[in-house]
Amino acid sequence: MAKILIIGGVAGGASAAARARRLSESAEIIMFERGPFVSFANCGLPYHIGGDIKDRAKLLLQTPESFLSRFNVDVRVMNEVISIQREAKTVTVKNLLDDTEYTESYDFLLLSPGASPVVPPIPGIDNPLTFSLRNIPDMDKILTSIKHNQPKHATVIGGGFIGLEMMEAFHQLGIETALVEMADQVMTPVDKEMAGFVHQEIRAKDIDLRLGVALQSAEFQAAADDAERGALTLQLSNGESLNTELLIMAIGVRPETTLARATGLRIGELGGIWVNDEMQTSDPFIYAVGDAIEEKDFLTGKQTVVPLAGPANRQGRMAADNMLGAHETYQGTQGTAICKVFDLAVASTGKNEKQLKRDEMAYEKVYVHTASHASYYPGAEVVSLKLLFSPESGKILGAQAIGKDGIDKRIDILAVAQRAGMTVEQLQHVELTYAPPYGSAKDVINQAAFVATNVMKGDVNGIHYDALANLTADQVLLDVRNPGELESVGTFPGAINIPVDQLRGRMNELPKDKEIIVACQVGLRGNVAYRQLANSGFIVKNLIGGYRTWKTSQC
Amino acid sequence: MAKILIIGGVAGGASAAARARRLSESAEIIMFERGPFVSFANCGLPYHIGGDIKDRAKLLLQTPESFLSRFNVDVRVMNEVISIQREAKTVTVKNLLDDTEYTESYDFLLLSPGASPVVPPIPGIDNPLTFSLRNIPDMDKILTSIKHNQPKHATVIGGGFIGLEMMEAFHQLGIETALVEMADQVMTPVDKEMAGFVHQEIRAKDIDLRLGVALQSAEFQAAADDAERGALTLQLSNGESLNTELLIMAIGVRPETTLARATGLRIGELGGIWVNDEMQTSDPFIYAVGDAIEEKDFLTGKQTVVPLAGPANRQGRMAADNMLGAHETYQGTQGTAICKVFDLAVASTGKNEKQLKRDEMAYEKVYVHTASHASYYPGAEVVSLKLLFSPESGKILGAQAIGKDGIDKRIDILAVAQRAGMTVEQLQHVELTYAPPYGSAKDVINQAAFVATNVMKGDVNGIHYDALANLTADQVLLDVRNPGELESVGTFPGAINIPVDQLRGRMNELPKDKEIIVACQVGLRGNVAYRQLANSGFIVKNLIGGYRTWKTSQC
């Protein structure tokens, strides 16, 4: 009869407990959680603050009581494991309610402690109006501060998932909001030119977006009558200051490894608990899962740290399997992720261009912008997709998509295609659901695969948005959009304009001794013009992703 | 300089023309269309009738003029190719506007004539109030009839895509509607127990749904003052009659092969034009694509006839490649399809159970019903998914999904997974976008893969809905739902009830010498109870898909 102790009662830990019980009716399973709640919906916290999820109780997916009755798991909230005796295979537990300590033995131990918000030692940051958001008590504190202090202005530091979600929550509550991000873009899983869409959306909602700016200090002025109320003055790295009444620190999380380090478990180079493919730490009787660990990157096979709920859940399930005798192996993390930013969805899978450059991996990329479903059926929205692939093998390296409709679908499709090892050539043939309300006979995915395959085969000589800044006297930028579009949408500086439908009759206006850079709105008509010119003996390149990609890269 | 003639100017033909021009600026390309329009949105026709697509012009994606200016394609509408002289490599064309005939030579000929509605020789069917819907003139006739005759009642014969879409269109127009289908289910790409969801939805909208009923005759009574107005009396195979004022025949389409047959091209066993993997007919200078052909089934490699727009478009593109020197090969059709039926989406890919049985292929199946996104976030709807897979290899054979949200996404994911050759074991690991508005940390797809893998490994002994009709005295049906659910949702006849959360304490109420069939609402708690009982030495099976699948199979 195996005795399994689980440290941490949220995603990975809770999944492991339920799975272990399904596998074994006789195992003794104890789950320790130092907080007051287990198995809560941490991804839902910003949405309760913003009011989308009205009922706080909905965030509590399981209780100690429900775990006991359904899974016969002994759940001990407000119980913190403070040390592990690996030789003796025991843990020392502190009951945080009465400060008593006791010991539990184990056959197998699972660490699922999660990650903690990174809060740098910024002067003045420890004040009654500054919060991070990781669990239910954090959420309750923010809600209390909103109720008590009635802020008219809030500031979020950090433009990642939680930062963006909190920005939206405050906006929904009618609180004027500033978003301060140290990098030159929000949402780092996507590349900067794609993040431009997000920046546009954020500014369109009157958020005070400050990029490339860090918080340097905070100063709290308490209200005359109440030390918990008041306001903050923030000093920023660009010399500006900002008056605010609620400050959220959301610059990131780091693996919670205190206990693992103290007990001498191997820590990876990236600062997470090291595990093998079976989710086993350097001690074979101790497993670890979730945000606290380093896991295998799907694409590179290297260690990575990916604090996401999906992998945590599947790792927890797998750790339970393996503690109870199986040898399931983790197949690597792609980092598939999505974030709602007002009306936009922003999603990605695999590697982005920044990572590929850093890892010195060869890549090619294409951009397509096309309707989420048949454009003649109401409700179609543009899907902007960036697809990264290997120029040698054609395999998918990563993908990013942004838009108001069908974004999750496209990235899910590409995440599965990447995991299956599909090439862009094979991706051309995928056969997706099509009826006017749902898709197109040639879906975004097929179109991206067509363009990528054209690039692979050399059927198109592409050029990217960033090259437009450095055109030489031997290059001509040819805009093949209609004059009406140029007026309504905007122009490329220095471009000449011949609409694609007139090009065949006006080719004589173009020089044969210069390189013609063809550009249209999204790249599709550009390709038609490119083919005409290339087949007619011109030296030509097509601007992949067209005006839309170029313009957004500047946002 | 190649001269390419294309017969048929819609999906496959139009794609081929555009692609051929992109590949060659010098090719001579002529496209013949016997109707008045090319490249129209045939999938949008029902939506214009129903009013969702207000502007008729939106259905006309390209015109002869736009094809000429953009692609230098000579488009000849109202020009019908009436014969092919293969030896001479010429076609004879009839100009339908002036009844003159002329000849054109070709280097390559592409047949993309589409399919025609099947209208059986039912007595009285040739009347002013009976229509089928395949093109813009058909649509215009139906709209004229509605305007002129002001029908209060319409009848649709056939519950496939067009039949269902026309049913919805009439309903939107406030016309009382009957849907008559000869089979025992609508939407044959899904299996009958899944179609039950559609039947429920149709009936909930007060459509007069008649299953297992055929049309035997129609009798037209003209209005006293107008031979184009009036009413119809329909005699049905069940002896009933139906008074209606507009009749749509939508029982299916058959490949248009008149010209191919007349010119001696090989016709396949299923009645479509035979082509090889390069879309070449039995004459190497003649290619064929789209609804008129027999193509390779992705799963079986056998010939199949799949009249869908996605494959037609990709085949047209490929035929152009190959006419101009490439050797691209078609990778087979899965038959991925989707239909909107009021608030539901109904989608499928690969083979259904009926087809697998007919082809005598070994299969296993699972059903899952789970939320389209995090259930605590507003707007989550149940996704009902059926996954068919090979019990030997674990490969995906087919999938069907029905629900109000996220259906296209799930079937697209499974279509890509099937095409990539993924097994259900591998499908467990797919990493999909998750944030509360879009998905779940354990998505429907992961859950279905978990259940399927449990079945593959023998970790669960499943039983299906249809077995409940034949339980023996040696079997006990144990409903583990809560008493409140039984009251609100309904009960299984003859089941005993022990809620899953009480089961551990009440196992002594169950016999060890009988087989216990565990059932819950969707199969998830059933699995928990199953594991408890199996691990405690009971003989047990779990009802896969639970009450929801069983109940729907009877609708």
Side-chain angles (χ1 to χ4, degrees), chain B residues 356-370:
Chain B
L356 292 168
K357 276 186 176 152
R358 199 173 54 215
D359 291 352
E360 297 183 343
M361 292 176 70
Y363 67 90
E364 254 302 347
K365 61 180 176 180
V366 297
Y367 302 88
V368 290
H369 308 274
T370 194

Side-chain angles (χ1 to χ4, degrees), chain B residues 207-256:
Chain B
I207 302 293
D208 175 11
L209 175 64
R210 303 191 183 202
L211 296 173
V213 173
L215 176 65
Q216 288 194 320
S217 70
E219 192 182 342
F220 174 59
Q221 301 89 32
D225 55 342
D226 186 343
E228 296 298 305
R229 290 179 50 236
L232 294 170
T233 304
L234 309 180
Q235 294 299 332
L236 305 178
S237 61
N238 61 356
E240 295 175 352
S241 70
L242 197 54
N243 295 314
T244 199
E245 292 154 282
L246 180 53
L247 179 63
I248 300 291
M249 294 300 292
I251 63 172
V253 295
R254 74 164 61 92
E256 174 53 66

Side-chain angles (χ1 to χ4, degrees), chain B residues 38-51:
Chain B
V38 287
S39 199
F40 62 89
N42 42 9
C43 301
L45 304 178
Y47 297 104
H48 180 56
I49 294 174

Side-chain angles (χ1 to χ4, degrees), chain A residues 15 22 25 41 52 70 313 328 334-336 378 408-409 412 431 433 441-442 457 501 504 531 535, chain B residues 15 22 25 52 70 313 328 334-336 376 378 408-409 412 431 433 441-442 457 501 504 531 535:
Chain A
S15 291
R22 289 201 300 276
E25 190 58 23
D52 287 321
R70 183 156 303 174
N313 274 279
E328 301 288 333
Q334 294 162 284
T336 311
D408 51 339
K409 175 165 84 169
D412 284 349
E431 197 187 317
T433 52
K442 286 175 187 155
K457 287 186 178 171
D501 291 342
R504 208 166 262 109
R531 299 298 315 173
N535 291 336
Chain B
S15 291
R22 289 201 300 276
E25 190 59 21
D52 286 321
R70 183 156 304 175
N313 274 280
E328 301 288 332
Q334 293 163 285
T336 311
Y376 54 80
D408 51 340
K409 174 164 87 168
D412 284 349
E431 197 186 318
T433 54
K442 286 175 188 157
K457 288 187 177 171
D501 290 343
R504 209 166 260 110
R531 299 297 316 173
N535 291 337

Side-chain angles (χ1 to χ4, degrees), chain A residues 29 33 88 228 233 289 308 369 450 475 483 501 517 530 534 555:
Chain A
I29 307 171
E33 169 58 49
E228 296 299 304
T233 303
V289 298
L308 289 171
H369 308 273
F450 290 152
Q475 293 175 305
D501 291 342
I517 314 288
Y530 171 91
C555 291

